[in-house]
């Protein structure tokens, strides 16, 4: 089975997304964003807004119901008069139509006591500090050996600083929520990556029992991490529905997504590599600086991948963060690994050039036998196989190592051409999930799990493994996901969805299959059912005989670029990714996922950039015209393949997860190809024309 099971529903428009649920008497909530980056709300005058026909309520910090669970300050909506960033929701209008709500929101008059804001990340910011840990719970700093001594003594040294800009996730479907109260219970139709987690968090905010909130997310138009946890729009919809006694719809506008739905924090990363003349690393150090908000500490773990990539006896990694008056950063596809590997892999390319060693060969020479910091064995690691397979497929052999020499084109268009390579990696993990499987006397099966398909093909992958385990055609199975009323499950995040959900589904399917076999296939009139919970199985990864193993997916990214010799325009005619990610459960969907990740990496390399306006303290991009994302014309010959890899630890499917490994390393491969084409090393993304024209040959 290669077809996407929800494909027909999507292309015919039958698939229903959160905002589309038809509900009688629905009202609409429209948020009022703060126009200052820091300060206090002095007064809110709702008179003009309330006079707009159709307006049902204006919610402000003066009249908003008190929320009992405010552990997450981003969800403590209207609970304070303090403003933490520009664009923060500070009031809202609820009206009978979205148009009336929007018009009235423009008439809410808010007076502020504005304070001076600080929104600029600098490498020597006086308020930089060492957080207790970095996301999700990694050590902030690590060190072994004597980095400073070894680096000073190294025959070849690279010492370079790389910068990545703030980036915003921008899934096609903006965040949207519909909330309906029925007495004490709340139903939420939400664009979320995780119905179980969203239900638990919303219940916490409103002081409800977990069973009192049901979150339904049948179809979700992308997330990339931005929909991994509820945002202010969910709380606003639920609060507005409570106040008005009507179902309330709340859609986040594209422009609001630059403030209230998270971003990848900008980073400043210094990488130092010391090596012998043969390219073998003796010293390696990765120092990361990034920003978080004053509301919440979120520290992107950008040096964490550096801890397991390459052998080097003397090493150090550090993270420092500063709280600025900016929106709270959040998860964006491969948080940490993605920006961090841009820096590390760019530095490896610089080292290859400095040593006069081919960049594929350099990586092969620095392959560690065990985790280079912890000494743990890898559960499976096939980076070198990916590099070799990629080099063969890409036609890497015989590459001219000199930068800036190859020309193509004609009298009208003069191109410089180059190729680049970078490694990729992402942790392979799973989280506890539950599933239930039933069979009826007529032989129809039901598979139930609160998984979410955010466009990844999760439905298809789960049907594949359920059909395989039960030994029945997929057509005999009704799969239900996307509803917190189903057995609770991990979110679609951290590249853990497939590993976590297939684990529970296979376990439940095996149990049901055993029941059916024990009865020689006779299903009683009431049917049979089996329930699985993987909490203990996954706990064994951390405490049993499997504890103490390092588990990661790996990959190798190859890029070919052409740079216009006159304008600096960069084209990427070819991208190839070769991955080792355990078992690939559903190949057609997996290829799309990996290509999607690589495309997002191309986008990061060449286009994506949210630039902070220090005057207003805001990201002024505000739409997809001002925030460029790679489109079809930017992507030419792109391919993703994988090598067969057996992963013994990660459950019965042996799947490592592929949602994020595809984006990691792509930007470094492209930046290195641009260097190979032009001789210009761009260390601050994105690679804009002006950066190439500055030193163009
Ligand atoms: Mo992903 S950024 O772990 O949802």
């Amino acid at each position: 089975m290669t077809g996407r099971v929800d494909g027909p529903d999507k292309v015919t428009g039958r698939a229903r997304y959160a905002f589309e649920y038809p509900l009688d008497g629905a009202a609409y909530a429209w948020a009022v964003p703060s126009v200052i980056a820091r300060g206090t709300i002095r007064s809110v005058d709702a008179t003009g807004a309330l006079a707009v026909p159709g307006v049902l309520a204006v919610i402000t910090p003066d009249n908003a119901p008190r929320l009992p669970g405010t552990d997450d300050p981003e969800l403590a909506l209207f609970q304070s008069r303090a403003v933490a960033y520009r664009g923060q929701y500070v009031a809202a209008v609820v009206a009978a139509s979205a148009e009336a709500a929007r018009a009235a929101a423009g008439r809410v008059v808010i007076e502020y006591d504005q304070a001076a804001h600080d929104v600029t990340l600098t490498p020597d910011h006086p308020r930089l500090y060492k957080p207790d840990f970095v996301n999700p719970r990694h050590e902030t700093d690590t060190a072994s050996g004597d980095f400073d001594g070894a680096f000073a003594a190294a025959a070849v040294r690279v010492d370079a600083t790389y910068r990545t800009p703030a980036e915003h996730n921008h899934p096609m479907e903006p965040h949207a929520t519909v909330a309906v109260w029925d007495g004490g219970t709340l139903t939420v139709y939400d664009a979320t990556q995780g119905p179980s987690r969203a239900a638990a968090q919303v219940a916490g905010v409103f002081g409800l029992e977990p069973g009192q909130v049901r979150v339904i997310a049948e179809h979700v138009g992308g997330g990339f991490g931005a929909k991994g946890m509820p945002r202010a729009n969910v709380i606003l919809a639920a609060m507005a529905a409570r106040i008005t006694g009507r179902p309330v719809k709340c859609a986040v506008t594209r422009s609001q997504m630059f403030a209230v739905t998270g971003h990848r924090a900008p980073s400043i990363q210094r990488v130092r590599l010391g090596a012998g003349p043969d390219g073998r690393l003796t010293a390696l150090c990765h120092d990361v600086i990034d920003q978080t908000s004053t509301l919440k500490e979120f520290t992107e773990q950008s040096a964490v991948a550096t801890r397991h990539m390459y052998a080097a006896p003397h090493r150090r990694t550090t993270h420092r963060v500063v709280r600025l008056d900016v929106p709270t950063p959040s998860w964006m596809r491969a948080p940490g690994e993605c920006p961090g590997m841009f820096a590390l892999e760019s530095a490896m390319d610089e080292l290859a050039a400095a040593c006069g060693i081919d960049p594929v060969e350099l990586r092969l020479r620095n392959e560690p036998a065990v985790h280079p910091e912890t000494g743990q064995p890898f559960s499976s690691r096939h980076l070198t196989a990916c590099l070799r397979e990629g080099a063969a497929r890409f036609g890497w052999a015989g590459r001219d190592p000199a930068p800036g020499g190859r020309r193509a084109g004609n009298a009208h268009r003069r191109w410089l051409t180059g190729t680049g390579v970078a490694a990729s990696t992402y942790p392979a993990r799973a989280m506890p999930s539950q599933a239930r499987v039933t069979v009826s006397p007529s032989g129809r099966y039901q598979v139930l799990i609160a998984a979410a398909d955010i466009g990844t093909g999760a439905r298809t992958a789960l049907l594949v493994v359920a059909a395989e385990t039960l030994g029945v055609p997929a057509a005999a199975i009704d799969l239900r996901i996307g509803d917190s009323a189903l057995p609770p499950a991990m979110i679609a995040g951290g590249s853990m969805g497939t590993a976590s959900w297939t684990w529970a589904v296979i376990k439940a399917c095996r149990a049901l299959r055993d029941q059916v076999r024990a009865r020689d296939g006779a299903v009683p009139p009431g049917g049979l059912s089996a329930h699985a919970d993987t909490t203990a199985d996954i706990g064994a990864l951390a405490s049993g005989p499997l504890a103490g193993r390092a588990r990661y997916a790996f990959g190798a990214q190859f890029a070919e670029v052409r740079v216009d010799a006159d304008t600096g325009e960069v084209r990427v005619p070819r991208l190839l990714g070769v991955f080792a990610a355990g078992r690939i459960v559903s190949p057609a969907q997996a290829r799309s996922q990996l290509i999607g990740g690589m495309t997002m990496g191309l986008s990061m390399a060449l286009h994506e950039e949210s630039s902070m306006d220090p005057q207003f303290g805001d990201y002024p991009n505000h739409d997809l015209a001002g925030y460029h994302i790679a489109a079809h014309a930017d992507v030419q010959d792109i391919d993703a393949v994988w090598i067969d890899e057996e992963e013994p630890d990660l459950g019965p499917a042996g799947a490592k997860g592929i949602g994020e490994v595809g984006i990691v390393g792509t930007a470094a491969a492209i930046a290195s190809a641009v260097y190979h084409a032009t001789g210009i090393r761009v260390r601050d993304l994105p690679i804009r024309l002006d950066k190439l024209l500055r030193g163009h040959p």
Side-chain angles (χ1 to χ4, degrees):
M1 181 171 65
T2 54
R4 188 174 289 243
V5 293
D6 45 4
D9 280 350
K10 285 186 170 168
V11 297
T12 56
R14 273 197 307 269
R16 197 167 270 167
Y17 292 78
F19 199 76
E20 301 172 335
Y21 278 85
L23 289 165
D24 288 340
Y28 296 81
W30 199 280
V32 180
S34 160
V35 298
I36 64 165
R38 180 163 173 249
T40 311
I41 296 167
R42 196 188 317 140
S43 64
V44 182
D45 181 356
T47 319
L50 286 166
V52 173
V55 168
L56 303 169
V58 176
I59 314 174
T60 74
D62 297 328
N63 65 12
R66 295 298 98 188
L67 298 172
T70 52
D71 301 351
D72 181 345
E74 279 286 337
L75 301 183
L77 199 61
F78 314 139
Q79 302 298 293
S80 149
R81 304 176 81 84
V83 174
Y85 57 86
R86 194 170 196 266
Q88 187 179 13
Y89 288 176
V90 289
V93 176
V94 196
S97 71
E99 292 77 9
R102 180 180 191 169
R107 298 191 190 183
V108 176
V109 179
I110 302 181
E111 294 200 32
Y112 299 92
D113 288 320
Q114 185 170 4
H117 58 249
D118 178 0
V119 293
T120 308
L121 180 67
T122 56
D124 50 1
H125 198 289
R127 291 202 317 275
L128 280 168
Y129 69 96
K130 178 183 171 185
D132 290 340
F133 58 87
V134 295
N135 290 331
R137 198 117 204 147
H138 290 289
E139 279 180 275
T140 303
D141 296 355
T142 59
S144 50
D146 168 23
F147 167 76
D148 293 310
F151 183 68
V156 185
R157 284 190 291 272
V158 169
D159 180 352
T161 297
Y162 304 88
R163 289 171 181 257
T164 58
E167 294 159 357
H168 284 82
N169 309 51
H170 285 306
M172 280 294 283
E173 178 205 25
H175 293 57
T177 309
V178 181
V180 195
W181 288 89
D182 181 5
T185 68
L186 171 65
T187 301
V188 178
Y189 302 89
D190 190 37
T192 177
Q193 291 172 226
S196 303
R197 181 183 289 182
Q201 281 187 269
V202 172
V205 170
F206 287 94
L208 302 169
E209 296 301 316
Q212 288 178 276
V213 178
R214 179 178 178 189
V215 172
I216 296 170
E218 206 186 334
H219 293 283
V220 180
F224 311 117
K227 295 172 182 168
M229 63 173 82
R231 314 297 310 199
N233 56 291
V234 182
I235 306 307
L236 173 53
M239 184 186 278
R242 177 68 119 188
I243 290 168
T244 60
R246 294 167 68 156
V248 169
K249 297 190 170 200
C250 177
V252 180
T253 66
R254 185 63 70 185
S255 106
Q256 290 173 359
M257 289 175 73
F258 285 88
V260 292
T261 60
H263 66 281
R264 192 198 295 285
S267 72
I268 302 170
Q269 307 180 54
R270 182 180 183 194
V271 179
R272 280 172 285 174
L273 303 177
D278 61 355
R280 281 181 218 281
L281 288 164
T282 53
L284 180 163
C285 179
H286 191 165
D287 298 310
V288 176
I289 287 169
D290 73 3
Q291 73 186 29
T292 187
S293 72
T294 58
L295 278 184
K296 227 169 133 172
E297 183 181 273
F298 179 100
T299 312
E300 185 124 353
Q301 66 274 35
S302 298
V304 163
T306 300
R307 297 172 184 170
H308 73 263
M309 284 305 293
Y310 301 113
H314 304 284
R315 47 202 308 141
R316 187 159 76 215
T317 60
T318 69
H319 297 85
R320 297 294 178 267
V321 65
V322 57
R323 287 181 179 269
L324 298 175
D325 304 306
V326 297
T328 305
S330 186
W331 302 321
M332 181 164 163
R333 206 171 197 169
E337 285 78 13
C338 181
M341 286 287 280
F342 166 67
L344 176 66
E345 291 300 294
S346 294
M348 285 296 280
D349 198 68
E350 299 207 41
L351 180 65
C355 294
I357 294 174
D358 178 84
V360 171
E361 173 61 25
L362 180 77
R363 288 169 173 87
L364 298 177
R365 282 187 196 177
N366 286 291
E367 174 73 3
V370 294
H371 190 296
E373 296 203 356
T374 66
Q376 294 172 332
F378 291 97
S379 62
S380 56
R381 172 171 172 135
H382 291 98
L383 172 58
T384 58
C386 294
L387 286 162
R388 290 199 172 97
E389 174 77 13
R393 285 177 179 258
F394 193 76
W396 186 264
R399 173 183 185 256
D400 163 20
R406 288 154 307 279
R407 291 184 178 266
N410 53 40
H412 305 289
R413 205 79 203 256
R414 304 184 305 136
W415 295 103
L416 296 161
T417 66
T419 52
V421 64
S424 174
T425 188
Y426 196 76
R429 300 164 295 191
M431 292 289 272
S433 296
Q434 300 180 32
R436 192 163 62 249
V437 184
T438 67
V439 61
S440 71
S442 65
R444 278 219 70 77
Y445 290 80
Q446 263 201 325
V447 174
L448 311 170
I449 180 167
D453 192 330
I454 61 170
T456 56
R459 271 192 183 78
T460 312
L462 292 177
L463 265 182
V464 167
V465 300
E468 188 182 275
T469 313
L470 292 166
V472 302
I477 302 171
D478 298 314
L479 170 70
R480 284 191 52 213
I481 64 169
D483 184 343
S484 68
L486 298 167
M490 172 58 184
I491 67 165
S495 297
M496 284 184 263
T498 300
S500 307
W501 306 326
T502 56
W503 203 324
V505 166
I506 292 173
K507 193 177 178 186
C509 287
R510 283 180 181 166
L512 184 73
R513 192 189 58 194
D514 291 348
Q515 287 186 44
V516 173
R517 281 187 188 157
R519 294 164 173 269
D520 287 328
V523 177
L528 291 170
S529 93
H531 184 270
D533 182 340
T534 61
T535 305
D537 308 79
I538 285 161
L541 291 179
S543 58
L546 295 178
R549 289 169 40 137
R551 303 180 189 95
Y552 302 92
F554 290 92
Q557 307 251 14
F558 291 80
E560 178 184 328
V561 305
R562 287 190 314 218
V563 181
D564 188 300
D566 298 298
T567 67
E569 177 191 349
V570 180
R571 304 296 296 162
V572 183
R574 216 151 53 101
L575 270 185
L576 171 68
V578 180
F579 300 95
R583 182 186 161 201
I584 300 301
V585 172
S586 184
Q589 283 66 43
R591 183 172 178 277
S592 294
Q593 264 280 65
L594 292 166
I595 284 177
M598 292 165 66
T599 302
M600 205 162 165
L602 183 157
S603 199
M604 174 194 190
L606 301 182
H607 305 302
E608 295 192 34
E609 178 173 30
S610 298
S611 30
M612 178 54 77
D613 177 339
Q615 179 89 24
F616 288 97
D618 192 3
Y619 291 112
N621 308 63
H622 276 203
D623 56 28
L624 297 184
Y627 184 88
H628 288 186
I629 290 174
H632 285 81
D634 296 303
V635 181
Q636 300 179 25
D637 176 1
I638 182 169
D639 201 8
V641 297
W642 46 87
I643 61 171
D644 288 329
E645 182 182 66
E646 224 158 276
E647 165 51 48
D649 293 5
L650 280 164
K656 282 184 174 176
I658 49 169
E660 284 153 290
V661 73
I663 192 176
V664 179
T666 321
I670 291 172
S672 297
V674 167
Y675 168 76
H676 188 230
T678 63
I680 300 167
R681 181 72 67 179
V682 178
R683 298 188 182 91
D684 57 329
L685 293 180
I687 305 168
R688 292 192 319 255
L689 314 182
D690 56 304
K691 297 177 188 176
L692 294 174
L693 290 175
R694 256 179 244 149
H696 216 34

